């Protein structure tokens, strides 16, 4: 017998009722983005490989070992997008969105990285991200960070910590990089293998190492702050002042460097301790050099991305955002005539009560089996149509969540009763 085909490792299904959490989560996040004047941009999931190597950086984890890169039938090297920023910059340049404009954009969708799947880490995962172009000052950084705070609060996450750092200009980072290499080279043998390799390729990434021995060595290392240029120092101080002024708490994390090469000046992450090593739910910062790197005119830019799987995991731990039930009302129908009348009734109720979630029983069966399904659907009320009701021109109404008898109501009054129960105003045609 042929074996069943399973999903690909790291590519997961999202099933009901968790999909309802996703919908509410997305709707709330979209509403806040909209409220800050951000507009949605929809981007392809496949780009030319070069786009990512040129923007994210050749010696980053993503480009070195995480990309899904393939040759298509024309022999072009293409890559499933590992993140959204590069494609967003590409699209802005391609369509001239940066000419005398400062677009505020958001995007959402699947991203692909070949990592070791574990809790909060998938190979296909989903992000909502935003980018702003053409604004260099700390004012937009502050507003964007406050927007992310509002987004997290809107989905009930109040125990995530905002971490901030400044990476300075490429020049100041270069000077720091040298100092860090000089310091760490003395302890080369004590570094983990990854960090030893990074000492040559991308030493700043060592700061990010999750290995305890390496972190201990870093305690005495020079810090980036000592190498910041004055303009970046001022920019960072002004950002902090603005956050202080509105009472937004944060902690400065001098080792926060972010995994992508393109960041400079402001970087920030929202971190929780509830997801183990996968604790970052939102990450972002400034990337003033990328537009030029991709062939545009020098344009400042700042953005962030949130990992939706991690947000959903936290929400589910918090008892969820939404009811997991399937319907408000379950329509029980006994017999052929009732089934036909029931369809008419259901359609009328859908006209009269917009938003009512009505699940009509299909497939026949006894009262008992239908009520079992009604109960399982999570509906509060059951409507019942059988011979007696048809003969009387009534419909039975039973509260499935409270004790009490089934009561009968005239057919033409039932919409009003349900509207009252669920707080829905009856929709009138005129
Ligand atoms: P990490 O250090 O956890 O690997 P990262 O620095 O690679 O994160 P970013 O590229 O900044 O992550 O992506 C922004 C957010 O997207 C992360 O903070 C996280 O919430 C989410 N994310 C990144 N990679 C994954 C993944 N493989 N699976 C699920 N979510 C992810
Ligand atoms: Mg990563």
């Amino acid at each position: 017998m042929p074996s069943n085909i399973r999903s690909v490792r790291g590519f997961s299904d999202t099933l009901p009722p968790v999909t309802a959490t996703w919908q509410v989560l997305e709707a709330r996040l979209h509403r806040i983005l909209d409220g800050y004047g951000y507009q949605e941009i929809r981007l392809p999931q496949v780009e030319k490989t070069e786009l990512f190597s040129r923007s994210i950086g050749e010696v980053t984890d993503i480009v070195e070992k995480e990309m899904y890169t393939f040759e298509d039938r024309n022999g072009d090297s293409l890559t499933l997008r590992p993140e959204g920023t590069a494609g967003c910059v590409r699209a802005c340049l391609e369509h001239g969105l940066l000419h005398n404009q400062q677009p505020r954009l958001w995007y959402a969708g699947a991203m692909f990285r070949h990592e070791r799947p574990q809790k909060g880490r998938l190979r296909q995962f989903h992000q909502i991200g935003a980018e702003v172009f053409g604004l260099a000052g700390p004012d937009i950084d502050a507003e964007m960070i406050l927007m992310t705070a509002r987004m997290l609060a809107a989905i009930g996450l109040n125990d995530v910590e905002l971490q901030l750092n400044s990476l300075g200009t490429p020049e100041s980072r270069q000077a720091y990089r040298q100092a860090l290499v000089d310091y760490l080279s003395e302890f080369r043998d004590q570094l983990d293998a990854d960090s030893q390799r990074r000492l040559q390729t991308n030493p700043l990434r060592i700061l990010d190492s999750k290995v305890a021995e390496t972190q201990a060595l870093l305690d005495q290392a020079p810090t980036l702050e000592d190498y910041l240029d004055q303009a970046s120092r001022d920019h960072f101080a002004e950002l902090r002042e603005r956050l202080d002024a509105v009472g937004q708490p944060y902690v400065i994390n001098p080792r926060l460097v972010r995994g992508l090469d393109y960041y400079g000046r402001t970087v920030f992450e929202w971190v929780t301790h509830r997801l183990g090593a996968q604790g970052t739910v939102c990450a972002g910062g400034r990337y003033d050099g990328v537009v030029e790197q991709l062939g545009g005119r020098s344009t400042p830019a700042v953005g962030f991305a949130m990992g939706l799987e991690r947000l959903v995991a936290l929400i589910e731990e918090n008892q969820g955002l939404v009811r997991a039930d399937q319907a408000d009302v379950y329509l029980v129908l006994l017999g052929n005539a009732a089934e036909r009348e029931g369809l008419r009734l259901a359609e009328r109720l859908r006209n009269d009560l917009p938003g009512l979630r009505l699940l009509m029983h299909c497939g026949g069966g006894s009262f008992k089996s239908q009520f079992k399904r009604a109960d399982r659907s999570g509906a509060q009320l059951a409507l019942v149509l059988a011979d007696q009701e048809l003969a009387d021109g009534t419909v039975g109404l039973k509260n499935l969540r409270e004790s009490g008898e089934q009561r009968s109501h005239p057919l033409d009054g039932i919409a009003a009763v349900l509207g009252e129960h669920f707080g829905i105003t009856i929709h009138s045609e005129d």
Side-chain angles (χ1 to χ4, degrees), residues 62 113 115 120-123 125 127 210 258-260 269 277-278 280-283 305-307 309-310:
I62 292 181
R113 297 184 194 176
E115 307 194 66
R121 196 176 290 288
L122 290 133
R123 291 181 171 170
F125 62 100
Q127 290 183 335
K210 307 222 155 74
R258 310 284 308 111
L260 295 75
E269 288 193 358
Q278 276 60 249
T280 302
V281 294
C282 173
M306 290 184 172
E309 278 78 5
R310 293 183 193 178

Side-chain angles (χ1 to χ4, degrees), residues 382-401:
L383 288 177
V384 181
L385 275 185
D387 290 345
Q388 188 63 52
E389 286 78 15
L390 288 180
D392 300 348
T394 60
V395 56
L397 178 67
K398 177 153 174 52
N399 192 321
L400 297 167
R401 310 296 153 195

Side-chain angles (χ1 to χ4, degrees), residues 167 205 208 255-260 263 267-269 280 283-284:
L167 300 181
R205 282 292 275 155
D208 228 17
R255 293 187 195 165
L256 183 63
V257 290
R258 310 284 308 111
L260 295 75
Y263 288 107
V267 287
F268 66 95
E269 288 193 358
T280 302

Side-chain angles (χ1 to χ4, degrees), residues 93 105 113 139 177 180 191 202 237 334-335 337 356 358 382 419:
L93 289 174
L105 301 168
R113 297 184 194 176
D139 48 354
R177 182 187 149 118
L180 186 66
L191 291 173
N202 196 349
L334 208 69
L356 179 75
L358 174 68

Side-chain angles (χ1 to χ4, degrees), residues 72-128:
D72 78 354
R73 288 171 192 276
N74 304 327
D76 295 325
S77 179
L78 304 181
T79 293
L80 299 185
R81 64 179 181 191
E83 54 97 60
T85 301
C88 187
V89 172
R90 195 246 339 119
C92 284
L93 289 174
E94 191 164 332
H95 303 288
L97 301 189
L98 305 182
H99 291 151
N100 301 319
Q101 297 171 74
Q102 285 110 23
R104 300 182 191 206
L105 301 168
W106 67 268
Y107 60 82
M111 307 293 160
F112 305 86
R113 297 184 194 176
H114 196 277
E115 307 194 66
R116 192 169 69 78
Q118 53 197 293
K119 188 180 175 194
R121 196 176 290 288
L122 290 133
R123 291 181 171 170
Q124 174 178 326
F125 62 100
H126 298 79
Q127 290 183 335
I128 287 185

Side-chain angles (χ1 to χ4, degrees), residues 162-215:
L162 173 60
Q163 301 189 353
L164 284 186
N165 195 20
S166 174
L167 300 181
T169 59
E171 293 74 33
S172 59
R173 213 157 53 247
Q174 189 58 35
Y176 173 62
R177 182 187 149 118
Q178 194 52 53
L180 186 66
V181 171
D182 291 347
Y183 168 81
L184 286 175
S185 295
E186 282 184 48
F187 305 98
R188 197 166 195 289
D189 299 343
Q190 298 169 45
L191 291 173
D192 60 279
D194 248 358
S195 295
Q196 289 192 5
R197 196 172 46 81
R198 284 180 174 145
L199 205 50
Q200 259 90 55
T201 57
N202 196 349
L204 289 192
R205 282 292 275 155
I206 299 174
L207 299 178
D208 228 17
S209 166
K210 307 222 155 74
V211 179
E213 290 77 16
T214 300
Q215 280 296 331

